[in-house]
Amino acid sequence: VIQAVFFGICVLTDLSSLLTKGNDSQEQERQLKKLISLRDWVMAVLAFPVGVFVVTMFWSIYIYDRELVYPKLLDNFIPAWLNHGMHTTVLPFVLIEMRTTHHQYPSRSCGLAAVCTFAVGYILWVCWIHHVTGVWVYPLLEHLSPGVKIIFFAAVTIIINIFYLVGEVLNNYIWDTQK
């Protein structure tokens, strides 16, 4: 969903940019700048770190033991192409976007705070779903003791923050005007 929303914002930004090109309206220019800022923020804080996290974690766990993250039973409901759409194509598309479009990252402290807020919110949502239904969204969590779950959730939050920093460094490297 994050990727779909992000790339929808990208398309809207590109269309708005094309439609306002050559137009001297300061209001349209101001609105376009807001849209570009939103696009850049979503890329920096959500699309890149969450996208890279999903791909690396999903396939790492899948290779180790697919039943922990994507039980074979799901093959009856979710076709392989859709699984790859959710867990594979995210990475090349987000890397292509980073290479083709310069994104202005927020200050590091604001970016990391936003990533942490998202990670904690998502973890709380996963725990809430378990509380209400009695089922863990990710089968891996069924095998962890409460203490290990806390360590796992803390590690996940740290990893996604590392991916934020990787995205910032990669963006700065790609778009270094000194080169």
Side-chain angles (χ1 to χ4, degrees):
V1 172
I2 289 170
Q3 300 302 317
V5 169
F6 170 66
F7 284 110
I9 292 169
C10 288
V11 168
L12 185 59
T13 302
D14 291 345
L15 287 174
S16 297
S17 180
L18 287 172
L19 293 173
T20 60
K21 191 169 270 183
N23 195 339
D24 289 337
S25 170
Q26 288 183 342
E27 179 59 24
Q28 286 181 341
E29 189 66 31
R30 192 173 68 75
Q31 294 299 327
L32 180 59
K33 284 182 181 180
K34 283 184 184 177
L35 196 54
I36 290 169
S37 292
L38 175 65
R39 178 203 64 196
D40 291 350
W41 187 88
V42 172
M43 171 65 165
V45 171
L46 296 174
F48 186 86
V50 174
V52 174
F53 177 82
V54 165
V55 172
T56 56
M57 289 299 288
F58 176 84
W59 288 109
S60 296
I61 296 170
Y62 186 97
I63 289 167
Y64 174 74
D65 181 358
R66 80 170 281 177
E67 294 296 318
L68 295 176
V69 71
Y70 192 81
K72 202 162 186 61
L73 172 72
L74 292 178
D75 291 343
N76 297 326
F77 308 102
I78 302 172
W81 65 266
L82 185 55
N83 179 27
H84 283 291
M86 293 184 298
H87 299 113
T88 307
T89 61
V90 170
L91 184 59
F93 286 144
V94 82
L95 289 173
I96 289 167
E97 170 65 20
M98 183 172 277
R99 180 61 185 103
T100 59
T101 306
H102 178 255
H103 296 278
Q104 188 69 42
Y105 269 60
S107 71
R108 185 168 285 171
S109 58
C110 287
L112 290 172
V115 170
C116 280
T117 300
F118 172 80
V120 170
Y122 188 79
I123 289 165
L124 290 174
W125 178 248
V126 167
C127 291
W128 175 254
I129 291 171
H130 177 263
H131 174 73
V132 171
T133 66
V135 177
W136 286 106
V137 176
Y138 303 105
L140 167 72
L141 298 172
E142 294 172 14
H143 303 285
L144 304 178
S145 68
V148 174
K149 275 187 191 85
I150 291 169
I151 294 167
F152 177 77
F153 290 145
V156 160
T157 303
I158 291 167
I159 291 167
I160 203 166
N161 276 276
I162 291 169
F163 286 140
Y164 171 85
L165 295 172
V166 167
E168 182 183 45
V169 168
L170 185 59
N171 184 68
N172 290 339
Y173 174 77
I174 290 170
W175 295 99
D176 183 8
T177 54
Q178 304 288 325
K179 288 194 281 185

